[in-house]
Every structure is written in C-alpha cells, then in structure tokens.
C-alpha cells in the first residue's frame, strides 16, 4: 500500500493543506473575544474515508479471499483445530497477498500516485488511473460466466469489451470466481487427508478398537505426510502461481 502512504504524506504537507479547501472542525474561544478555528482539509477527509474502505478493498479486489479460504481449509483437513492460530493464518494470507499484488501496486504507483504527486493528474483522474491495474488483475481471474450472470441480473445487455466492464459488475463476479477457485483447490487438498482418515478408521474397526477416535490416530500420519512432501512450500507456491497462470 505504498501509494496510500505516499498520498497520505503529500496530504500532510503544509503546501498541500494551504491549497485545499478547509472545513471548520473546532472553534476555540479564549474568553476575551479572540478565538481560533481549526479546520480539516477536504483531501485529508477523503483520505480518512478511503482508509475505512481498505478492508472491503482487500476482500473485493485482491487475492486475499482465495488465500485465506485455502489456508483455512488446509487447517480443517489436517484436523489440528486452532493450529496454526487465526492470527498466523491471517498474517500468512496478508503477506502472501502483498507478494501476489506487488506488481499491481507498482503499476498503481507509477500510473496514478506519482503523476498525482507531480501535479500532472488531478485527484479524480488519479483515482480512475489507479483502478485500471486492479481491473486488469480481476479480469484475468474472473470467469466470463460469472460476469455474464451479474450482467443479466443488473440488466446490462452488452459490454463493449472486457476492459469496459463496470466495477459494480466486476467486483462481485471476481469474488464469486475466487470462491469457486478456492474451493476447488481446497477439494484437492482434502483428498489425501481423507484417504488417511479412511485407512486409519478401517484399521481401527478391524482391530475392534471402535472406542478410539480415528482422528487422534490419523493426526500424526497426516502431519508426517505434510512435512515429508514439504506441504507449506507446495501450498504457498501453488497459491502464488495460480494467480500468475490466470494473469
């Protein structure tokens, strides 16, 4: 999010604030008739509003959704309850998202933030330019059937080109496609662990040990299999390359 940080820094500069329209925020009266009024610039107000939308942007316009779902399914398939913890999974998903989305962030910085800081683009033009790399990324990961479904629901009969797809259609279609892809990857992850559970349950039943939970016995075998095949590297590499293949 270096473009957001750069935008925040430029809005904090005295020169930028001096050229901005101020909204009165607090009026202080010294008691003798003299008072001061503190104002908030429109740019800072818009920036703070945009920061409140960051969680929605993270979920609707990046690779975070697919990654967090696959990692959650992996933990469920291993049967390790709360290990890794939710904080660790969120951290892994966040930093892997930054890795996957770094080319998009670089394009946003070059196309929108840097021209805005140089004064060659207005705020609205910079915002339009910033959405283009995100649209390109989302279009590469979105199924045409999902876009067509939401277009039919919205009553949009014709879209000139994929690049002309409105964000109001592209974002829900993108999230729907991400959910489908995440569950497909999760299904493939689940298969070997389910086979281990079935084998362990069959062996225990044949030995008459029906009071012993198969999950307790199969857990060490699943962990051993996951470690032997270098599971974490495979999962992270598969998730990262899945976005490169779609791009």
């Amino acid at each position: 999010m270096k473009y957001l940080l750069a935008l925040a820094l430029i809005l904090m500069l005295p020169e930028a604030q001096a050229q901005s329209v101020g909204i009165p925020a607090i009026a202080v009266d010294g008691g003798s008739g003299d008072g001061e009024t503190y104002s908030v610039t429109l740019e800072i107000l818009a920036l703070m509003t945009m920061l409140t939308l960051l969680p929605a942007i993270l979920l609707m316009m990046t690779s975070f959704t697919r990654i967090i779902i696959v990692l959650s399914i992996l933990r469920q398939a291993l049967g390790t309850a709360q290990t890794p913890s939710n904080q660790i999974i969120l951290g892994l998903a966040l930093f892997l998202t930054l890795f996957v989305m770094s080319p998009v962030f670089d394009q946003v910085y070059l196309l929108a933030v840097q021209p805005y800081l140089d004064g060659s683009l207005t705020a609205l033009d910079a915002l339009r330019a910033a959405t283009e790399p995100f649209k390109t990324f989302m279009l590469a990961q979105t199924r045409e059937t999902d876009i067509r479904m939401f277009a039919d629901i919205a009553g949009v009969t014709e879209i000139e080109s994929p690049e002309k797809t409105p964000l109001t259609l592209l974002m829900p279609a993108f999230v729907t496609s991400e959910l489908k892809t995440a569950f497909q990857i999760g299904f493939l992850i689940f298969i070997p662990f389910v086979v281990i559970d079935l084998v362990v349950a069959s062996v225990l039943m044949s030995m008459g040990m029906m009071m012993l939970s198969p999950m307790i016995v199969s857990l060490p075998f699943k962990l051993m299999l996951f470690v032997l095949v270098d599971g974490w590297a495979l999962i992270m590499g598969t998730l990262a390359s899945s976005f490169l293949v779609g791009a």
Side-chain angles (χ1 to χ4, degrees), residues 76-242:
Q76 184 72 22
L78 285 172
T80 54
Q82 296 299 317
T83 305
S85 63
N86 292 332
Q87 291 85 351
I88 295 176
I89 289 182
L90 285 172
L92 286 174
L94 180 60
F95 283 102
L96 191 57
T97 299
L98 293 176
F99 171 77
V100 172
M101 299 297 297
S102 58
V104 178
F105 294 154
D106 291 339
Q107 292 180 15
V108 170
Y109 184 82
L110 292 175
L111 297 177
V113 177
Q114 191 62 48
Y116 174 76
L117 299 180
D118 296 338
S120 57
L121 283 182
T122 63
L124 291 178
D125 292 336
L127 181 61
R128 295 189 189 98
T131 59
E132 293 304 321
F134 282 99
K135 289 184 66 175
T136 302
F137 170 79
M138 290 190 291
L139 283 170
Q141 310 299 328
T142 307
R143 295 172 174 84
E144 294 183 4
T145 54
D146 294 326
I147 296 179
R148 191 178 305 115
M149 177 188 69
F150 283 100
D152 293 339
I153 295 174
V156 179
T157 58
E158 183 178 354
I159 300 176
E160 298 179 4
S161 63
E163 292 74 17
K164 298 295 184 180
T165 304
L167 280 177
T168 54
L169 295 180
L170 183 57
M171 285 193 292
F174 170 73
V175 174
T176 303
S177 294
E178 287 295 282
L179 290 174
K180 291 180 181 178
T181 304
F183 276 90
Q184 289 174 353
I185 298 175
F187 171 77
L188 297 177
I189 292 174
F190 239 108
I191 291 177
F193 299 113
V194 170
V195 171
I196 294 177
D197 288 334
L198 290 175
V199 171
V200 170
S202 300
V203 171
L204 291 177
M205 185 170 293
S206 64
M207 296 174 62
M209 303 174 65
M210 292 176 291
M211 298 300 294
L212 182 61
S213 174
M215 297 296 295
I216 298 177
V217 180
S218 63
L219 179 58
F221 294 99
K222 291 190 287 187
L223 292 177
M224 181 180 65
L225 173 65
F226 193 69
V227 171
L228 288 177
V229 300
D230 198 6
W232 285 113
L234 288 176
I235 293 297
M236 297 299 178
T238 301
L239 283 173
S241 60
S242 66

